[in-house]
Structure formats: structure tokens, C-alpha cells
Amino acid sequence: MSASLALPLERYRDSLAQVQPQPAGASQSWLAQHRHEAAQNLQRLGFPQRRQEAWRYTSVDRLLAHEFAQSAGETLPDIDLQAFLLPSLDVHRAVFVNGRFAPALSSLEGLSPGVTVGSLKQQIAHNPIVPAGWLGKAAGAPAHVFSAMNTAAMEDGLFIHVVQGQEPARPIEVLHLSSAPAAAVMAQSRNLVLLEAGARATLIERYASPDGSLYFNNSMSEFFLQDDADLEHYRLQDESLAAYHLHSLFIHQHERSHYRNTGFALGAAWSRAELTIDFLGTSAVAELDGLYVTGEQQLSDTHLDIRHAVPGCVSHTRYKGLLHGRGRAVFDGRIEVKPRAVKSDAHLHNANLLLSRNAEVDTKPQLEIHADDVRCSHGATVGQLDPAQLFYLRSRGIDAGAARRLLCLGFAGEILERCPVAPLREHVEAAVAARLAQATDSGAGA
Amino acid sequence: MLNIDRLQVSVDGKPILNGTDLKVQAGEVHAIMGPNGSGKSTLAHVLAGRDGYTVEGGAVTLEGEDLLALAAEERAHRGVFLAMQYPVELPGVNNMVFMKTALNALRAARGEPALDAVGFMQRVREKLALVEMDERFLKRNVNAGFSGGEKKRNEILQMAVLEPKLAILDETDSGLDIDALRVVADGVNTLRSPERAMIVVTHYQRLLDYIQPDFVHVLAGGRIVRSGDRTLALELEEKGYGWLEQEDAA
């Protein structure tokens, strides 16, 4: 490891050591064990380098240039919750600030019997059976140092547990807010969702922060969908353009479970979303849709790893990207069909629209098939706005900027319409339009 | 209303229009006929302001204003409308949102207040009948998956909604069966008015049986080589374009 990489690693380790979480109870040796093993991995893993395939197009240099420190304080910074709420969204709401549960900002009353939504830390303190049994199971050994760091510091985050056959009365909204008025804070939330057999839920996760906030969200989530469970998951990442964001989501799907994920990444300065699906039971279905919009100096990186290990599972993946200004995006989507996984139905497609000649996308859809009798496809496109379409709109009196916006929103529409939660969809549509307004008015060639 | 004076246009350095002259008054319907490659579609596109055409000389004015100096959308604001030969598909762009955006852009340019969804629907509903379309067309994406006939009807619907001063119909008959042609022509005829001029570009006489022009012009080699009334179209139908070329050569 080079000296330039060793230095920040030491710093992160020291920072972690200072805030080594106190076990919530004397009997939590399982948790201490997780943390200890992860800490052992830090030095071995080192920071990712671009010679590693999974980091080939994504440099961490910008991230390491900042001296992020693990947030130690128990007191949360003041934050104006109202500024982050969506109108007419009727939900159970859990709010986290810098990775820590904020009970005063949350509204979780009236949850149905058999439904638990709240803080992982409190759950570990009061009833650790589920966390002890499931944490780390989907994530496995850390693939990179950031996962090891998250596990080494694992303390608080979202906890959802729906028992067999139950369903919350309303969607669950989880607001991950970040606020770092003084220091460059690193928040490492750890999230655990367990839907037992036949349980259902709708989960809306939003990452947001005041403009200009500088912080590093290094979060990890593990979702377990047992037989016949059904989870609709909508995720909006729309953070400060100074922020850094890494999120690794691991899903275990059992028989006939159904997981639907629609993700909107409007970004931070640097963001990377990793999604790993493991099919552990037959006839499970995953529908993954995503839209990323990147401009300015933003980097948006998406990594998907969809592993068909058992027969008869379905995965349909559609990601679209709109890139403007000097925006960069990486899409690395991989489907793996293992020898046992006959009758797999796996499709993955990525389409990108470049709105400026300085925008760049590196897209790499991959398909590895080791089984017979499967239906699989993958593909990627990178294009620009069609001059014939632009002329058509302009010839009807619509100015060039508005015409570009209409076409871009039309391009994004296929993903937007996958979100049936109207207040969220309309919010995202308006946010995308706002992001594009400046880019499209300044001309296609800028 | 429209005055085209010795217009010369090239595409990629290749001359297409070589001094085209045409005068169109309000209320008139002019047909422009000509063999393939004579410059008919180029003329239609240049008038509407499409990129990719270089004006080498001449002038075009609309009600005295230099049309060629205006961007495509500004020409639309002044009342120019081009019904396209190949209407493009706009996946993801809702037809009603598209037409409402277009109409409100024209209204804004004229200093008129924007129509809300209710006001727009009132206006569009009466126009739908003109082209025998129902409201389901408004819910679909613009031209996406439309049949050839539906696309052309959608063009005429837009023309009806936007109420242009100068409507240019580029090969509106191409790809239409006889029933669709009749629907489109009926729609166009309903939109004829003393305030509105129309230029109907067509290769075949057939369309002119339905949309009867006041004047017929023949474009060949980038110039209007013959002008006349409806009977010129019938003569062309009988003798073919070769007849004119032979006469010119003689």
C-alpha cells in the first residue's frame, strides 16, 4: 500500500478507535465479535484502487482528500425537519440524523401488531435476538474497506421487522438526514430489514441534507425477505453537492419473495450505490429500476450484482442515466446464473443520455451464464438528444431549453412511472426538472 | 402574407433551391408539386426553420418580417406550422402535455394568459372530432406506436389546436390509405379560413382531389418552373413530370 493511502487509513482507524461503541449490554459479545473481525480487515483491505475491477472507473482520491471524522456526539445537530418533508405523504416515519435515530423527529405511533420500526441500537439494547441472528448474514465478508469500516463501527441505523403475514398500515418512510455545520462528519448507519414469511411492506428511503453540507455517509443495509414476503422499496438520494455517499445494500430473497426497488440518484459530489441480490429460494422475483442524474462535477456510480443460484428466479433490471455539464456516471451491472439456476429469467438494461460533450459515462453490463435453459439478456446504450425530436418540439413553439427538458423527462419517464407513490414521484420529477433547467437552458453543446 | 424571393438553399454544399419565388396571400391554398428531389421538402423545412440548411441567397418574409432570421420556435410564435411528412415519435412525452405546452408557449409569446388543464381540454375536445380522434390519443405518448394514419391525424389535430396563420403540409398524403386520406383532408378543409394561408406539398395529384388548391406550382431543379390553377395538377397527372422537363429543354 502506498504511503498516501496508508495515511488516511490510519486516520480513519484512529477515529474509529476513539468512538469504539460501547456494547449496549454486557452480553453482546456477538456484536463485539463482528466489530473486532471487521477492524482486523481494515489494514488487509486498504483503500480501493483503480486497478481493482470494481473500482476501475471510480477514484476515491477526492473522498480521501477530506478529513472526515466519525461523529461521536450523542447530541444531534438542530435540523429543520419541515424543510425535508413531502406534502401529502401519509406514512410511518423514522428519521435519522448523521446515522443516528432521532426519536423526537420520528412519528411511529400506531404501528400494527407484529411490525417494529425504529432504531437498531435500541433494538440491540432491548431485544437483540433478531439483530444477533441476522446482522452480517447477507453482507458476508467485507468486499472493500468501507464495508469493514461500517461493520467495525456498527452501532445505530434503521431496524424493521415485520412478523409472518403482517403488513404495516401505511408505507414506512425513512429520512436519512445529514447535517454537519462545523466538522466534516462521517456517518456509518447500519440498517436491517427482516420481512418474515408472507409479510409485506412499502419502504420509502430518502437521503437529504442542507445545501453545501460536507459529510461522508458510509452506510450499509441488509434486507431479508423470507418465503412469499413482498417489499416495495423506493429510494431517493438527493443530497448536498458537497457530500460523499457510499451505500451497500445486500438482499437475501427466499422462495417466491418479491422485491421491487426503484432508485433515484440525484447525487452528491461523489456517490456510489452497491446492490447485491442473492436468490436463496426458487421462484423469487426482483424488479430493479433506477434513474441517475448527474452534472456539475458529480460522480454517480451504480454497482449491481444479481446472483441467480437457485432455479426459476426472475430479475428485471432497468437503469437510466441523464448526464449534463461535467457529470460522470458509472454503471456496472452483473447477472450471474449459477449451474443450478435453470429456468432463470434475467434481463438487465442500461440507457444513458449525454446532454453535454463534457459528460461521461462508463457502462458495463455483464452476464455470466453457467446454466442451460435460461432466458437472459443484457445491453447498454449511450446517446444524445435526437435533433429531429428537438426540431419537432421547437416547430410547435416550444423553446429549445423547454424542448430538451421535455425530452429528458420523457426519457426518465419510464423509470419515474415505476414509482406509484405519487407525492414521491412528483417530487422527484420536479427535482429532476430543476436539475435539468440550468443544463438545458445553457445549450446542448455546453 | 408570405413572400419568398429568389431563395437559394444548399445542404452540405449541394445546391437544392436555386432561386425559388413564391407569394402567398391570406386565405389562399397553394399546392407545390414536383418530382422526387426537386426541393419540395427542403422548402417546407427551410420555412419552418430546421437546422442543416444553408441559405445562400434570397429572402423570405412573413407579414414583412424576415422569417429566416428567426429560430424555429419564434416562427411558430408568428404563426408558422409545419405538418411533417414523418412525424417523429417522442417516447415518454405525453401527447396532451405536449400540446398544452406548445399552445401555452404560443399564448405566452402573444402575451395571452396560459390555459389550465380544464381550459385546454375544452379547447382540444372540439378539435378531436375534426380528425375523428378520441381522448385516448391525448393520454398516449406523442406518436409513439401510432399507425401512419394516426400520426398524420395527430399533425392535423395540432394544427387545429395551434391555429396557425401559415400552415405548411409536407407530403401529408404519403403512407395514407384512402379512408385516412379523406379524414385528414376533411380536417384540413375545415381549417381553411380567410385569415389562414396553406402550402400543400405533394408528389401526387391525388391529395388535391380532396384539398382543392387555388394555385398549383411545379418545383423542379430548385425553381418554380410552372404556376397555374388546379388544371395544372390534372395535366401533370396525365402527362407526368417528364412533360415539363421536355418543354423546358425545348
Side-chain angles (χ1 to χ4, degrees):
Chain A
M1 183 185 301
S2 69
S4 63
L5 287 172
L7 276 174
L9 188 55
E10 294 297 329
R11 201 175 64 228
Y12 277 116
R13 201 170 47 182
D14 292 348
S15 163
L16 289 174
Q18 283 167 21
V19 293
Q20 192 62 266
Q22 299 305 308
S27 61
Q28 312 293 5
S29 60
W30 60 272
L31 184 57
Q33 184 66 22
H34 273 305
R35 289 172 181 153
H36 177 72
E37 282 174 14
Q40 296 295 313
N41 278 317
L42 288 180
Q43 196 66 39
R44 177 181 65 78
L45 290 162
F47 283 110
Q49 305 208 24
R50 294 186 62 179
R51 62 168 183 263
Q52 292 165 263
E53 192 57 27
W55 295 85
R56 193 162 149 197
Y57 305 106
T58 304
S59 162
V60 296
D61 292 352
R62 278 167 77 191
L63 171 68
L64 298 181
H66 296 282
E67 299 199 4
F68 291 111
Q70 172 89 8
S71 74
E74 288 294 307
T75 50
L76 298 174
D78 282 341
I79 201 151
D80 176 17
L81 181 67
Q82 291 303 320
F84 296 100
L85 295 184
L86 299 183
S88 46
L89 191 60
D90 185 22
V91 290
H92 300 294
R93 182 180 301 114
V95 179
F96 293 79
V97 179
N98 295 345
R100 295 172 196 280
F101 184 54
L105 301 179
S106 302
S107 31
L108 292 166
E109 57 287 341
L111 285 166
S112 324
V115 177
T116 309
V117 178
S119 151
L120 178 68
K121 184 178 182 176
Q122 287 177 14
Q123 190 66 31
I124 291 173
H126 300 120
N127 188 1
I129 295 171
V130 170
W134 296 91
L135 272 175
K137 268 207 158 149
H144 50 65
V145 72
F146 299 108
S147 290
M149 280 163 54
N150 180 286
T151 302
M154 173 155 85
E155 186 187 8
D156 203 357
L158 169 69
F159 177 77
I160 295 178
H161 179 199
V162 183
V163 303
Q164 190 169 338
Q166 293 302 305
E167 179 177 6
R170 283 173 272 169
I172 299 161
E173 183 188 32
V174 179
L175 256 176
H176 300 276
L177 301 179
S178 298
S179 177
V185 160
M186 174 166 64
Q188 310 206 71
S189 73
R190 180 67 171 235
N191 310 296
L192 177 62
V193 173
L194 171 62
L195 298 193
E196 290 187 12
R200 307 171 66 90
T202 297
L203 172 62
I204 300 162
E205 280 194 287
R206 294 200 289 131
Y207 289 81
S209 52
D211 289 345
S213 311
L214 172 64
Y215 57 87
F216 175 27
N217 258 336
N218 178 35
S219 60
M220 251 172 108
S221 301
E222 294 178 89
F223 289 11
F224 299 90
L225 277 63
Q226 297 194 302
D227 294 354
D228 301 296
D230 187 313
L231 179 64
E232 288 192 21
H233 183 197
Y234 305 100
R235 186 172 183 277
L236 168 60
Q237 188 231 338
D238 186 6
E239 302 181 85
S240 148
L241 292 181
Y244 291 75
H245 178 112
L246 173 61
H247 181 248
S248 304
L249 169 58
F250 299 88
I251 318 265
H252 272 189
Q253 283 194 248
H254 293 266
E255 278 189 39
R256 296 176 305 278
S257 62
H258 195 139
Y259 176 63
R260 212 168 113 188
N261 179 317
T262 303
F264 303 105
L266 307 190
W270 183 104
S271 57
R272 177 174 169 115
E274 302 174 342
L275 171 57
T276 304
I277 304 245
D278 277 299
F279 290 115
L280 303 182
T282 56
S283 305
V285 177
E287 294 176 75
L288 313 173
D289 299 281
L291 172 71
Y292 47 86
V293 180
T294 160
E296 314 283 336
Q297 306 279 333
Q298 290 178 282
L299 167 75
S300 175
D301 182 355
T302 304
H303 280 252
L304 306 176
D305 205 350
I306 301 153
R307 301 166 180 162
H308 287 255
V310 294
C313 293
V314 177
S315 67
H316 287 181
T317 305
R318 278 171 303 187
Y319 268 70
K320 285 189 160 188
L322 280 168
L323 295 95
H324 61 94
R326 308 186 74 87
R328 280 201 58 220
V330 178
F331 178 87
D332 185 343
R334 180 169 163 271
I335 298 172
E336 184 185 4
V337 181
K338 296 187 177 172
R340 267 192 69 207
V342 295
K343 308 269 186 208
S344 289
D345 183 339
H347 304 274
L348 180 147
H349 194 262
N350 173 233
N352 298 279
L353 197 50
L354 298 183
L355 300 173
S356 94
R357 63 174 79 99
N358 293 316
E360 182 186 325
V361 62
D362 295 287
T363 175
K364 201 171 72 167
Q366 306 171 71
L367 190 51
E368 280 179 36
I369 305 179
H370 304 287
D372 294 326
D373 190 16
V374 296
R375 291 177 55 199
C376 297
S377 69
H378 71 313
T381 60
V382 179
Q384 296 170 329
L385 287 177
D386 178 356
Q389 294 181 334
L390 273 174
F391 172 66
Y392 191 71
L393 290 165
R394 295 179 64 192
S395 76
R396 300 314 187 232
I398 299 169
D399 71 61
R404 290 192 193 100
R405 281 197 293 287
L406 263 181
L407 292 175
C408 289
L409 286 174
F411 174 82
E414 189 194 355
I415 306 298
L416 286 165
E417 72 192 18
R418 300 287 296 168
C419 176
V421 183
L424 179 66
R425 185 183 61 243
E426 286 157 15
H427 173 76
V428 174
E429 197 166 16
V432 171
R435 288 284 167 93
L436 291 172
Q438 205 185 348
T440 49
D441 282 341
S442 61
Chain B
M1 175 187 282
L2 179 74
N3 194 355
I4 303 174
D5 182 23
R6 287 170 290 171
L7 182 63
Q8 292 168 274
V9 173
S10 67
V11 176
D12 296 330
K14 188 179 164 222
I16 306 290
L17 298 182
N18 300 301
T20 306
D21 292 296
L22 185 66
K23 282 185 170 54
V24 178
Q25 303 301 329
E28 295 175 351
V29 174
H30 291 244
I32 295 185
M33 303 185 67
N36 289 326
S38 60
K40 301 189 301 289
S41 279
T42 295
L43 179 62
H45 284 142
V46 167
L47 293 177
R50 185 166 194 157
D51 291 338
Y53 298 91
T54 309
V55 176
E56 306 283 358
V60 179
T61 57
L62 181 73
E63 297 187 316
E65 187 176 17
D66 180 2
L67 195 66
L68 300 177
L70 301 176
E73 57 267 36
E74 294 171 320
R75 300 183 199 197
H77 299 162
R78 305 297 194 278
V80 176
F81 179 90
L82 171 63
M84 305 215 183
Q85 181 177 8
Y86 304 109
V88 294
E89 302 193 2
L90 305 180
V93 181
N94 174 270
N95 208 15
M96 186 170 89
V97 170
F98 161 60
M99 277 189 233
K100 183 164 162 271
T101 306
L103 179 60
N104 281 334
L106 298 190
R107 292 176 67 90
R110 294 180 199 134
E112 296 166 15
L115 287 181
D116 62 11
V118 175
F120 174 77
M121 274 311 293
Q122 279 173 349
R123 176 145 174 180
V124 79
R125 207 169 272 135
E126 67 195 50
K127 312 290 188 188
L128 280 165
L130 275 183
V131 284
E132 297 181 14
M133 289 166 88
D134 64 43
E135 287 187 24
R136 279 175 300 181
F137 275 93
L138 300 175
K139 297 194 174 87
R140 292 167 67 180
N141 290 331
V142 181
N143 298 328
F146 282 29
S147 70
E150 287 172 340
K151 283 181 183 171
K152 295 297 173 80
R153 281 191 278 162
N154 204 31
E155 294 292 287
I156 305 307
L157 175 64
Q158 291 167 47
M159 177 174 152
V161 168
L162 300 178
E163 300 182 331
K165 258 181 218 155
L166 172 66
I168 304 157
L169 286 77
D170 187 12
E171 308 266 5
T172 292
D173 50 330
S174 71
L176 294 187
D177 64 29
I178 200 73
D179 292 328
L181 181 62
R182 191 174 287 123
V183 172
V184 165
D186 286 351
V188 171
N189 285 328
T190 314
L191 295 171
R192 289 177 80 148
S193 92
E195 293 82 39
R196 180 170 295 141
M198 292 190 192
I199 297 175
V200 180
V201 174
T202 183
H203 184 81
Y204 298 105
Q205 201 282 137
R206 183 178 74 151
L207 178 66
L208 306 181
D209 288 339
Y210 297 93
I211 304 172
Q212 299 198 350
D214 302 304
F215 302 94
V216 173
H217 310 276
V218 179
L219 192 65
R223 254 196 293 265
I224 303 279
V225 295
R226 186 70 63 97
S227 295
D229 61 13
R230 252 196 91 215
T231 56
L232 176 58
L234 297 170
E235 205 169 351
L236 278 171
E237 177 84 348
E238 193 183 323
K239 298 181 178 172
Y241 289 112
W243 155 63
L244 281 171
E245 281 157 24
Q246 282 159 20
E247 260 199 3
D248 283 353

